[in-house]
Amino acid sequence: MLMVFFIGTAGSGKSTLVSALYNWMDEQGYDVAVVNLDPAAEYLPYVPDVDIRDKINARKIMRQFKLGPNASIIASIDMAVAEGERIKEEINAVGAPVVLVDTPGQMELFAFRESGPYLVRRLSDTHNVVVYVGDGTYMQTPEGFASTALLAISARIRFKLPQIFAVNKMDLLGEEQIERINDWISDAEMLADSLQLGSLERDIIKAVSAAGGLGDAVFVSALSGTGIDRLYYAIQLHYTGGEDQQLPP
């Protein structure tokens, strides 16, 4: 089984991208399932095969324990750890060879606490990959790009899984903006110059680049569907090394 975990900050279009990839794979005849791990989701653009809200609902926890929004999500994710085995059993019962896992929108409450990575480990299978979803409109400036890149690399450190960097909302970017983002990905010196960094910050950017950086970005639009096929191919590369083991019927 291939588990694909989607990580990203609030507003990056992560859930919409999960829906777009799920619909594309389903139309192509692939056997795929989708899991919602966000206990605070009010609306989902897809119908999950497995839904954490059936067991743990952040809004109910908020009322029960008189917590604020963020505290209720933290408590919900901590509680979800105890449900990890049952969630995995439900995923296995669905029987799909590819499972798309939508994680909480408040990435910092999931990725940077021990319960988030632990839950990912509990749900992981033979093959696992993280898709980090970056907001392309936010990445148009060097400051927005650099902060997104550092978050993506931090997530890779936290989850210790292969990672694909997906730049979402490309329908809102022009060719020049896409080319600039690609340049920043491939050329740390250019990014450092654009940021007008001091020597210490410049060394950090170069060190991140020398360690592999973000790799090749996949530009997608969850809204229009552009690039969804390329995202699927990037996932397949991690799964099979390029050989598509799940062909349409």
Side-chain angles (χ1 to χ4, degrees):
M1 184 186 298
L2 170 63
M3 303 290 293
V4 187
F5 298 93
F6 286 76
I7 307 295
T9 56
S12 63
K14 175 173 54 62
S15 294
T16 308
L17 183 58
V18 170
S19 178
L21 179 58
Y22 175 81
N23 290 335
W24 182 88
M25 291 182 66
D26 185 60
E27 290 169 1
Q28 299 300 315
Y30 293 109
D31 188 5
V32 57
V34 63
V35 175
N36 171 49
L37 283 186
D38 189 350
E42 296 286 342
Y43 163 78
L44 292 173
Y46 54 83
V47 178
D49 296 283
V50 178
D51 194 342
I52 188 64
R53 296 175 302 176
D54 294 338
K55 301 173 179 60
I56 301 168
N57 187 291
R59 188 163 293 279
K60 291 180 180 178
I61 290 172
M62 185 189 302
R63 291 195 296 266
Q64 180 180 354
F65 296 101
K66 296 180 174 57
L67 300 174
N70 286 341
S72 66
I73 295 172
I74 290 172
S76 299
I77 296 170
D78 288 346
M79 292 178 185
V81 169
E83 298 287 342
E85 195 59 39
R86 274 180 281 186
I87 295 171
K88 185 63 180 292
E89 289 173 359
E90 290 185 19
I91 292 172
N92 290 337
V94 174
V98 180
V99 179
L100 311 181
V101 183
D102 191 8
T103 62
Q106 288 81 352
M107 171 187 154
E108 67 279 10
L109 304 181
F110 181 76
F112 301 129
R113 291 178 57 83
E114 289 305 316
S115 51
Y118 180 80
L119 186 57
V120 166
R121 289 195 297 271
R122 289 288 296 272
L123 299 183
S124 292
D125 207 271
T126 306
H127 303 280
N128 310 280
V129 65
V130 168
V131 175
Y132 187 92
V133 184
D135 185 338
T137 61
Y138 179 67
M139 295 168 63
Q140 296 179 70
T141 66
E143 294 80 10
F145 173 86
S147 55
T148 300
L150 290 173
L151 275 176
I153 291 166
S154 297
R156 191 172 71 190
I157 293 170
R158 291 291 294 168
F159 293 109
K160 296 180 174 62
L161 292 174
Q163 182 169 288
I164 298 165
F165 187 65
V167 181
N168 194 21
K169 305 183 183 180
M170 68 172 296
D171 54 302
L172 300 178
L173 302 176
E175 290 184 10
E176 183 178 334
Q177 293 162 320
I178 292 174
E179 184 178 349
R180 185 185 307 124
I181 291 172
N182 265 323
D183 287 340
W184 287 334
I185 290 172
S186 60
D187 191 335
E189 193 71 42
M190 179 182 292
L191 175 60
D193 289 342
S194 299
L195 288 166
Q196 299 180 342
L197 294 177
S199 58
L200 175 61
E201 294 86 351
R202 185 178 291 269
D203 288 343
I204 292 172
I205 291 293
K206 289 181 178 179
V208 167
S209 178
L214 295 172
D216 294 330
V218 180
F219 286 81
V220 298
S221 169
L223 187 63
S224 70
T226 304
I228 297 298
D229 54 342
R230 292 193 293 273
L231 176 59
Y232 172 77
Y233 178 68
I235 292 170
Q236 280 288 320
L237 282 177
H238 283 277
Y239 184 25
T240 66
E243 291 292 330
D244 194 334
Q245 297 296 323
Q246 194 191 171
L247 297 174

Coordinates of all heavy atoms in Angstrom, one line a residue, residues 56-137:
I56 N -13.5 11.6 16.6 CA -13.0 12.7 17.3 C -13.4 14.0 16.6 O -13.0 14.2 15.4 CB -11.5 12.7 17.6 CG1 -11.1 11.4 18.3 CG2 -11.0 13.9 18.3 CD1 -9.6 11.2 18.3
N57 N -14.2 14.9 17.2 CA -14.6 16.1 16.6 C -14.1 17.3 17.4 O -14.5 17.4 18.6 CB -16.1 16.1 16.5 CG -16.7 17.3 15.7 OD1 -16.6 18.4 16.1 ND2 -17.2 17.0 14.5
A58 N -13.3 18.2 16.8 CA -12.7 19.3 17.6 C -13.8 20.2 18.2 O -13.6 20.8 19.3 CB -11.7 20.0 16.7
R59 N -14.8 20.4 17.4 CA -15.9 21.4 17.9 C -16.5 20.8 19.2 O -16.8 21.6 20.1 CB -16.9 21.6 16.8 CG -17.9 22.7 17.2 CD -18.6 23.3 16.0 NE -17.7 24.0 15.1 CZ -17.3 25.2 15.3 NH1 -17.7 25.9 16.3 NH2 -16.5 25.8 14.4
K60 N -16.8 19.5 19.2 CA -17.4 18.9 20.4 C -16.4 18.9 21.6 O -16.8 19.2 22.7 CB -17.8 17.5 20.1 CG -18.9 17.3 19.1 CD -19.3 15.8 18.9 CE -20.4 15.7 17.9 NZ -20.7 14.3 17.6
I61 N -15.1 18.7 21.3 CA -14.1 18.8 22.3 C -14.0 20.2 22.9 O -13.8 20.4 24.1 CB -12.8 18.3 21.8 CG1 -12.9 16.7 21.6 CG2 -11.6 18.6 22.7 CD1 -11.7 16.2 20.8
M62 N -14.1 21.2 22.0 CA -14.1 22.6 22.4 C -15.2 22.9 23.4 O -14.9 23.5 24.4 CB -14.2 23.5 21.2 CG -14.1 25.0 21.5 SD -14.5 26.0 20.1 CE -13.4 25.4 18.8
R63 N -16.4 22.4 23.1 CA -17.5 22.7 24.0 C -17.4 21.9 25.3 O -17.6 22.4 26.4 CB -18.8 22.3 23.3 CG -19.2 23.3 22.2 CD -20.7 23.1 21.8 NE -20.9 21.7 21.3 CZ -20.9 21.4 20.0 NH1 -20.6 22.3 19.1 NH2 -21.2 20.2 19.6
Q64 N -16.9 20.6 25.2 CA -16.9 19.7 26.3 C -15.9 20.2 27.4 O -16.1 20.2 28.6 CB -16.6 18.3 25.9 CG -16.5 17.3 27.1 CD -16.1 15.9 26.6 OE1 -16.1 15.6 25.3 NE2 -15.9 15.0 27.5
F65 N -14.7 20.6 26.9 CA -13.6 21.0 27.8 C -13.4 22.5 27.9 O -12.4 23.0 28.5 CB -12.3 20.3 27.4 CG -12.4 18.8 27.4 CD1 -12.6 18.1 26.3 CD2 -12.3 18.2 28.7 CE1 -12.6 16.7 26.3 CE2 -12.3 16.8 28.7 CZ -12.5 16.0 27.6
K66 N -14.3 23.3 27.2 CA -14.2 24.8 27.2 C -12.8 25.2 26.8 O -12.1 26.0 27.5 CB -14.5 25.3 28.6 CG -15.9 25.0 29.1 CD -16.2 25.5 30.5 CE -17.7 25.4 30.8 NZ -18.1 24.0 30.8
L67 N -12.4 24.8 25.6 CA -11.1 25.1 25.0 C -11.3 26.1 23.9 O -12.4 26.3 23.3 CB -10.4 23.9 24.5 CG -10.1 22.8 25.5 CD1 -9.6 21.5 24.8 CD2 -9.2 23.2 26.5
G68 N -10.2 26.8 23.5 CA -10.2 27.7 22.4 C -10.0 26.8 21.1 O -9.8 25.6 21.2
P69 N -10.1 27.5 19.9 CA -10.0 26.7 18.6 C -8.7 25.9 18.5 O -8.7 24.7 18.2 CB -10.1 27.8 17.6 CG -10.8 28.9 18.2 CD -10.4 28.9 19.7
N70 N -7.5 26.6 18.8 CA -6.2 25.9 18.6 C -6.1 24.8 19.7 O -5.6 23.7 19.4 CB -5.1 26.9 18.7 CG -5.0 27.8 17.5 OD1 -5.5 27.4 16.4 ND2 -4.3 28.9 17.6
A71 N -6.4 25.1 20.9 CA -6.3 24.1 22.0 C -7.2 22.9 21.7 O -6.8 21.8 22.0 CB -6.7 24.7 23.3
S72 N -8.3 23.1 21.1 CA -9.2 22.0 20.8 C -8.6 21.1 19.7 O -8.8 19.8 19.8 CB -10.6 22.4 20.4 OG -10.6 23.1 19.2
I73 N -8.0 21.7 18.8 CA -7.3 20.9 17.7 C -6.1 20.1 18.3 O -6.0 18.9 17.9 CB -6.8 21.8 16.5 CG1 -8.0 22.5 15.9 CG2 -6.0 21.1 15.5 CD1 -7.7 23.6 14.9
I74 N -5.3 20.8 19.1 CA -4.2 20.1 19.8 C -4.7 18.9 20.5 O -4.2 17.8 20.4 CB -3.4 21.0 20.7 CG1 -2.7 22.1 19.8 CG2 -2.5 20.3 21.6 CD1 -2.0 23.2 20.6
A75 N -5.8 19.1 21.3 CA -6.3 18.0 22.1 C -6.9 16.9 21.2 O -6.7 15.7 21.5 CB -7.5 18.5 23.0
S76 N -7.5 17.3 20.1 CA -8.1 16.3 19.2 C -7.0 15.4 18.6 O -7.2 14.2 18.5 CB -8.9 17.0 18.1 OG -10.0 17.8 18.6
I77 N -5.9 16.1 18.1 CA -4.8 15.3 17.5 C -4.2 14.4 18.5 O -3.8 13.2 18.2 CB -3.8 16.3 16.9 CG1 -4.5 17.1 15.7 CG2 -2.6 15.5 16.3 CD1 -3.6 18.2 15.2
D78 N -4.0 14.9 19.8 CA -3.5 14.0 20.8 C -4.4 12.8 21.0 O -3.9 11.7 21.2 CB -3.3 14.8 22.1 CG -2.1 15.8 22.0 OD1 -1.3 15.7 21.1 OD2 -2.1 16.7 22.9
M79 N -5.7 13.0 21.0 CA -6.6 11.9 21.2 C -6.6 11.0 20.0 O -6.8 9.8 20.2 CB -8.0 12.5 21.4 CG -8.3 13.2 22.7 SD -9.9 13.9 22.8 CE -9.9 14.8 24.3
A80 N -6.3 11.5 18.9 CA -6.3 10.7 17.6 C -5.2 9.6 17.7 O -5.3 8.6 17.0 CB -6.2 11.6 16.4
V81 N -4.1 9.9 18.4 CA -3.1 8.9 18.6 C -3.6 7.6 19.1 O -3.2 6.5 18.6 CB -1.9 9.5 19.4 CG1 -0.9 8.4 19.8 CG2 -1.2 10.7 18.7
A82 N -4.5 7.7 20.1 CA -5.0 6.5 20.7 C -5.9 5.7 19.7 O -6.2 4.5 19.9 CB -5.8 6.9 21.9
E83 N -6.4 6.4 18.7 CA -7.3 5.8 17.7 C -6.5 5.3 16.4 O -7.0 4.8 15.5 CB -8.3 6.8 17.2 CG -9.3 7.3 18.3 CD -10.3 6.2 18.7 OE1 -10.5 5.2 17.9 OE2 -10.9 6.3 19.8
G84 N -5.1 5.5 16.5 CA -4.3 5.2 15.3 C -4.5 3.8 14.8 O -4.6 3.6 13.6
E85 N -4.5 2.8 15.7 CA -4.6 1.4 15.2 C -6.0 1.2 14.6 O -6.0 0.5 13.5 CB -4.4 0.5 16.4 CG -4.2 -0.9 16.0 CD -2.9 -1.1 15.2 OE1 -1.9 -0.4 15.4 OE2 -3.0 -1.9 14.2
R86 N -7.0 1.7 15.1 CA -8.4 1.5 14.6 C -8.5 2.2 13.2 O -9.1 1.7 12.3 CB -9.4 2.0 15.5 CG -9.9 0.9 16.5 CD -10.9 1.4 17.5 NE -10.4 2.2 18.5 CZ -11.1 2.7 19.6 NH1 -12.4 2.4 19.6 NH2 -10.5 3.4 20.5
I87 N -7.9 3.4 13.1 CA -7.9 4.1 11.8 C -7.2 3.3 10.8 O -7.6 3.2 9.6 CB -7.2 5.5 12.0 CG1 -8.1 6.4 12.9 CG2 -7.1 6.2 10.6 CD1 -7.4 7.7 13.3
K88 N -6.0 2.7 11.2 CA -5.3 1.9 10.2 C -6.1 0.7 9.8 O -6.1 0.3 8.6 CB -3.9 1.5 10.9 CG -3.0 0.7 9.9 CD -2.6 1.6 8.8 CE -1.6 0.8 7.8 NZ -0.3 0.6 8.4
E89 N -6.8 0.1 10.7 CA -7.7 -1.1 10.4 C -8.8 -0.7 9.4 O -9.1 -1.4 8.5 CB -8.3 -1.6 11.7 CG -7.3 -2.3 12.6 CD -7.9 -2.8 13.9 OE1 -9.1 -2.5 14.1 OE2 -7.2 -3.4 14.7
E90 N -9.3 0.5 9.6 CA -10.4 1.0 8.6 C -9.8 1.2 7.3 O -10.4 0.9 6.2 CB -11.0 2.2 9.2 CG -11.9 2.0 10.4 CD -12.6 3.3 10.8 OE1 -12.7 4.2 10.0 OE2 -13.0 3.4 12.0
I91 N -8.6 1.8 7.2 CA -7.9 2.0 5.9 C -7.6 0.7 5.2 O -7.9 0.5 4.0 CB -6.6 2.8 6.1 CG1 -6.9 4.2 6.6 CG2 -5.8 2.8 4.8 CD1 -5.6 5.0 7.0
N92 N -7.1 -0.3 6.0 CA -6.9 -1.6 5.4 C -8.1 -2.3 4.9 O -8.1 -3.0 3.9 CB -6.2 -2.5 6.4 CG -4.8 -2.1 6.7 OD1 -4.1 -1.4 5.9 ND2 -4.3 -2.5 7.9
A93 N -9.3 -2.0 5.6 CA -10.5 -2.6 5.2 C -11.0 -2.1 3.9 O -11.7 -2.8 3.1 CB -11.6 -2.4 6.3
V94 N -10.7 -0.8 3.6 CA -11.1 -0.2 2.3 C -10.4 -1.0 1.2 O -11.0 -1.2 0.1 CB -10.7 1.3 2.3 CG1 -11.0 1.9 0.9 CG2 -11.5 2.0 3.3
G95 N -9.1 -1.3 1.4 CA -8.4 -2.2 0.4 C -7.8 -1.5 -0.8 O -7.4 -2.2 -1.7
A96 N -7.8 -0.2 -0.8 CA -7.2 0.5 -2.0 C -5.7 0.5 -1.9 O -5.1 0.6 -0.8 CB -7.7 1.9 -2.0
P97 N -5.0 0.3 -3.0 CA -3.5 0.2 -3.0 C -2.9 1.6 -2.8 O -1.7 1.7 -2.5 CB -3.2 -0.4 -4.3 CG -4.3 -0.1 -5.2 CD -5.5 -0.1 -4.3
V98 N -3.6 2.7 -3.1 CA -3.1 4.1 -2.9 C -4.1 4.8 -2.0 O -5.3 4.8 -2.2 CB -3.0 4.8 -4.2 CG1 -2.5 6.2 -4.0 CG2 -2.1 4.1 -5.2
V99 N -3.6 5.4 -0.9 CA -4.4 6.1 0.0 C -3.9 7.6 0.2 O -2.7 7.8 0.5 CB -4.4 5.4 1.4 CG1 -5.3 6.2 2.4 CG2 -4.9 4.0 1.3
L100 N -4.8 8.5 -0.1 CA -4.4 10.0 0.1 C -4.9 10.4 1.4 O -6.1 10.2 1.8 CB -5.1 10.8 -1.0 CG -5.0 10.3 -2.5 CD1 -5.7 11.2 -3.4 CD2 -3.5 10.1 -2.9
V101 N -4.0 11.0 2.2 CA -4.3 11.3 3.6 C -4.2 12.9 3.7 O -3.2 13.5 3.6 CB -3.3 10.7 4.6 CG1 -3.7 11.0 6.0 CG2 -3.3 9.2 4.4
D102 N -5.4 13.5 4.0 CA -5.5 14.9 4.2 C -5.3 15.2 5.7 O -6.0 14.7 6.6 CB -6.9 15.4 3.8 CG -7.0 16.9 3.7 OD1 -6.0 17.6 3.8 OD2 -8.1 17.3 3.5
T103 N -4.3 16.0 6.0 CA -3.9 16.3 7.4 C -4.5 17.7 7.8 O -5.0 18.4 7.0 CB -2.4 16.3 7.6 OG1 -1.8 17.4 6.8 CG2 -1.8 15.0 7.2
P104 N -4.5 18.0 9.1 CA -5.1 19.2 9.6 C -4.6 20.5 8.9 O -3.4 20.6 8.6 CB -4.8 19.2 11.1 CG -4.7 17.8 11.5 CD -4.1 17.1 10.3
G105 N -5.4 21.4 8.7 CA -5.0 22.7 8.0 C -4.1 23.5 8.8 O -3.2 24.2 8.3
Q106 N -4.2 23.4 10.2 CA -3.2 24.2 11.0 C -2.0 23.3 11.1 O -1.8 22.6 12.1 CB -3.8 24.5 12.4 CG -4.9 25.5 12.4 CD -6.2 25.0 12.0 OE1 -6.3 23.9 11.5 NE2 -7.3 25.8 12.1
M107 N -1.1 23.4 10.1 CA 0.1 22.5 10.0 C 1.0 22.6 11.3 O 1.5 21.5 11.7 CB 0.9 22.9 8.8 CG 2.2 22.3 8.7 SD 3.2 22.9 7.3 CE 4.8 22.6 7.9
E108 N 1.1 23.8 11.8 CA 2.0 23.9 13.0 C 1.5 23.1 14.2 O 2.3 22.7 15.0 CB 2.2 25.4 13.4 CG 1.0 26.1 13.9 CD 0.1 26.6 12.9 OE1 0.2 26.2 11.7 OE2 -0.9 27.3 13.2
L109 N 0.2 22.9 14.3 CA -0.4 22.1 15.4 C -0.3 20.6 15.2 O -0.4 19.8 16.1 CB -1.8 22.5 15.6 CG -2.1 24.0 15.9 CD1 -3.6 24.2 16.1 CD2 -1.3 24.5 17.0
F110 N 0.0 20.3 13.9 CA 0.1 18.8 13.6 C 1.6 18.4 13.4 O 2.0 17.4 14.0 CB -0.7 18.6 12.3 CG -0.7 17.1 11.9 CD1 -1.4 16.2 12.5 CD2 0.1 16.7 10.8 CE1 -1.4 14.9 12.1 CE2 0.1 15.4 10.4 CZ -0.7 14.5 11.1
A111 N 2.3 19.2 12.6 CA 3.7 18.7 12.2 C 4.7 19.0 13.3 O 5.6 18.2 13.5 CB 4.1 19.5 11.0
F112 N 4.5 20.0 14.1 CA 5.5 20.4 15.1 C 5.2 20.0 16.5 O 5.8 20.6 17.5 CB 5.8 21.9 15.0 CG 6.3 22.2 13.6 CD1 5.7 23.3 12.9 CD2 7.3 21.5 13.0 CE1 6.1 23.6 11.6 CE2 7.7 21.8 11.7 CZ 7.1 22.9 11.0
R113 N 4.3 19.1 16.7 CA 4.0 18.5 18.0 C 4.3 17.0 17.8 O 4.2 16.4 16.7 CB 2.6 18.7 18.5 CG 2.4 20.2 18.9 CD 0.9 20.4 19.3 NE 0.6 19.5 20.4 CZ 0.8 19.7 21.7 NH1 1.4 20.9 22.0 NH2 0.4 18.9 22.6
E114 N 4.6 16.3 18.9 CA 5.0 14.9 18.8 C 3.8 14.0 18.3 O 4.1 13.0 17.6 CB 5.5 14.4 20.2 CG 6.8 14.9 20.6 CD 7.9 14.7 19.6 OE1 8.0 13.6 19.0 OE2 8.7 15.6 19.3
S115 N 2.6 14.4 18.6 CA 1.5 13.5 18.2 C 1.3 13.4 16.7 O 0.9 12.4 16.2 CB 0.2 14.0 18.9 OG 0.0 15.4 18.6
G116 N 1.6 14.5 15.9 CA 1.4 14.5 14.5 C 2.3 13.5 13.8 O 1.8 12.5 13.1
P117 N 3.6 13.6 13.9 CA 4.5 12.6 13.4 C 4.3 11.2 13.9 O 4.4 10.2 13.1 CB 5.9 13.1 13.7 CG 5.7 14.6 13.9 CD 4.4 14.8 14.5
Y118 N 3.9 11.1 15.2 CA 3.7 9.8 15.7 C 2.5 9.1 15.0 O 2.5 7.9 14.7 CB 3.4 9.8 17.2 CG 3.1 8.5 17.8 CD1 4.2 7.6 18.2 CD2 1.8 8.1 18.1 CE1 3.9 6.4 18.7 CE2 1.5 6.9 18.7 CZ 2.6 6.0 19.0 OH 2.3 4.8 19.5
L119 N 1.4 9.9 14.8 CA 0.2 9.4 14.1 C 0.6 9.0 12.7 O 0.1 7.9 12.2 CB -0.9 10.4 14.1 CG -2.2 10.0 13.6 CD1 -2.8 8.8 14.3 CD2 -3.2 11.2 13.6
V120 N 1.4 9.8 12.0 CA 1.8 9.4 10.6 C 2.6 8.1 10.6 O 2.4 7.3 9.8 CB 2.7 10.6 10.0 CG1 3.4 10.1 8.8 CG2 1.8 11.8 9.7
R121 N 3.5 7.9 11.6 CA 4.2 6.6 11.7 C 3.2 5.5 11.9 O 3.4 4.4 11.3 CB 5.2 6.7 12.8 CG 6.4 7.6 12.5 CD 7.6 7.4 13.5 NE 7.2 7.7 14.9 CZ 7.4 8.9 15.4 NH1 7.8 9.9 14.7 NH2 7.0 9.1 16.7
R122 N 2.2 5.7 12.7 CA 1.3 4.6 13.0 C 0.5 4.2 11.7 O 0.1 3.1 11.5 CB 0.3 5.0 14.1 CG 0.9 5.1 15.5 CD 1.2 3.8 16.1 NE 0.0 3.0 16.3 CZ -0.8 3.0 17.4 NH1 -0.5 3.8 18.4 NH2 -1.8 2.2 17.5
L123 N 0.2 5.2 10.9 CA -0.6 4.9 9.7 C 0.3 4.5 8.5 O -0.3 4.1 7.5 CB -1.4 6.2 9.3 CG -2.4 6.7 10.4 CD1 -3.2 7.8 9.8 CD2 -3.4 5.5 10.8
S124 N 1.6 4.7 8.6 CA 2.5 4.4 7.5 C 2.4 2.9 7.1 O 2.1 2.1 7.9 CB 3.9 4.8 7.8 OG 4.0 6.2 7.9
D125 N 2.7 2.7 5.8 CA 2.7 1.3 5.3 C 4.0 1.0 4.7 O 5.1 1.6 5.0 CB 1.5 1.1 4.4 CG 1.0 -0.3 4.3 OD1 1.6 -1.1 3.5 OD2 0.1 -0.7 5.1
T126 N 4.0 0.1 3.7 CA 5.3 -0.3 3.0 C 5.9 0.9 2.3 O 7.1 1.1 2.3 CB 5.0 -1.5 2.1 OG1 4.4 -2.5 2.8 CG2 6.3 -2.0 1.5
H127 N 5.0 1.7 1.6 CA 5.5 2.8 0.8 C 4.8 4.1 1.4 O 3.6 4.1 1.5 CB 5.2 2.6 -0.6 CG 5.8 1.4 -1.2 ND1 7.1 1.3 -1.6 CD2 5.3 0.2 -1.5 CE1 7.4 0.1 -2.1 NE2 6.3 -0.6 -2.0
N128 N 5.6 5.1 1.6 CA 5.0 6.4 2.1 C 5.7 7.6 1.5 O 6.9 7.5 1.2 CB 5.2 6.4 3.6 CG 4.8 5.1 4.3 OD1 3.6 4.9 4.6 ND2 5.8 4.3 4.7
V129 N 4.9 8.6 1.3 CA 5.5 9.9 0.8 C 4.7 11.0 1.3 O 3.5 10.9 1.5 CB 5.5 9.8 -0.8 CG1 4.1 9.8 -1.4 CG2 6.3 11.0 -1.3
V130 N 5.3 12.2 1.5 CA 4.7 13.4 1.9 C 4.6 14.3 0.7 O 5.6 14.5 0.0 CB 5.4 14.1 3.1 CG1 4.9 15.5 3.3 CG2 5.3 13.2 4.3
V131 N 3.5 14.9 0.5 CA 3.3 16.0 -0.5 C 3.2 17.3 0.3 O 2.2 17.5 1.0 CB 2.1 15.8 -1.4 CG1 2.0 17.0 -2.4 CG2 2.3 14.5 -2.3
Y132 N 4.2 18.1 0.2 CA 4.1 19.4 0.9 C 3.5 20.4 -0.1 O 4.0 20.6 -1.2 CB 5.5 20.0 1.3 CG 5.3 21.2 2.2 CD1 5.2 21.2 3.5 CD2 5.2 22.5 1.6 CE1 5.0 22.3 4.3 CE2 5.0 23.6 2.3 CZ 4.9 23.5 3.7 OH 4.7 24.7 4.4
V133 N 2.4 21.0 0.3 CA 1.6 21.9 -0.6 C 1.9 23.4 -0.2 O 1.6 23.8 0.8 CB 0.1 21.7 -0.5 CG1 -0.6 22.6 -1.5 CG2 -0.2 20.2 -0.7
G134 N 2.6 24.1 -1.2 CA 2.9 25.5 -1.0 C 1.9 26.3 -1.7 O 1.5 26.0 -2.8
D135 N 1.6 27.5 -1.2 CA 0.7 28.4 -1.8 C 1.5 29.3 -2.8 O 2.3 30.1 -2.4 CB 0.1 29.3 -0.8 CG -1.0 30.3 -1.3 OD1 -0.9 30.6 -2.5 OD2 -1.8 30.7 -0.6
G136 N 1.3 29.0 -4.1 CA 2.1 29.7 -5.1 C 1.9 31.2 -5.1 O 2.9 32.0 -5.4
T137 N 0.8 31.8 -4.7 CA 0.6 33.2 -4.7 C 1.4 33.8 -3.6 O 1.9 35.0 -3.7 CB -0.9 33.6 -4.5 OG1 -1.4 33.0 -3.2 CG2 -1.8 33.0 -5.6

